[in-house]
Amino acid sequence: MITYQIERRSGVATYMQIVLQTRQALRLGVLAPGDKLPTAKEVVETAAINPHTVLKAYRELEREGLVELQPGRGTFVRRGLGTAGTASHAPLRAELTAWLHKAEEAGLDAEDAAALFDACRAEVFAAAGTPRTGPARH
């Protein structure tokens, strides 16, 4: 099950942080079709946020066709976003983790490293002709 981490100083609306973290979990295969999302009450207890914020996020995810709200049962994942063979991403993840350790050793903080990654990602995918879909982190 996913646990939402709310960054109050991020400048990103709380409901959108839930949406973005859910999308990321779907893309990475942490969540799969049929999985149940935490209840609004569970999110409120762990993240100390308003239940209406959670419901707003879940409605947005439902509007996108990613989840299905089943009254009395909960909110369930309808479809994933990950590519086939997410497990094959392990070597890339290891390389990226090593790069992040090097960035930290070079004095970059998390935001600096994310900005550098985002800039390089934009360059690589623009050169490859792949449309940029927005920031990779949130």
Side-chain angles (χ1 to χ4, degrees), residues 104-122:
E104 184 180 39
E105 290 169 7
L108 277 67
D109 66 15
E111 290 183 16
D112 292 337
L116 181 57
F117 175 85
D118 285 345
C120 292
R121 178 179 52 103

Side-chain angles (χ1 to χ4, degrees), residues 2 9 15 17 19 21 27 31 35 37 43 55 57 60 76 85 88 91 100 112 117 119 124 135-136:
I2 187 171
R9 291 183 253 168
Y15 89 95
Q17 289 183 50
V19 169
Q21 289 176 36
R27 192 167 306 285
L31 289 172
D35 286 350
L37 295 184
V43 177
L55 296 175
E60 174 65 20
F76 295 85
S88 67
L100 288 168
D112 292 337
F117 175 85
V124 167

Side-chain angles (χ1 to χ4, degrees), residues 18-68:
I18 293 171
V19 169
L20 294 170
Q21 289 176 36
T22 303
R23 285 184 197 149
Q24 182 178 27
L26 291 167
R27 192 167 306 285
L28 294 175
V30 173
L31 289 172
D35 286 350
K36 184 178 179 184
L37 295 184
T39 65
K41 181 179 179 181
E42 290 168 336
V43 177
V44 167
E45 289 172 358
T46 60
I49 60 174
N50 188 302
H52 296 291
T53 302
V54 180
L55 296 175
K56 182 177 181 179
Y58 285 6
R59 282 192 302 272
E60 174 65 20
L61 291 163
E62 182 179 41
R63 187 189 66 72
E64 294 176 10
L66 299 175
V67 303
E68 178 180 11

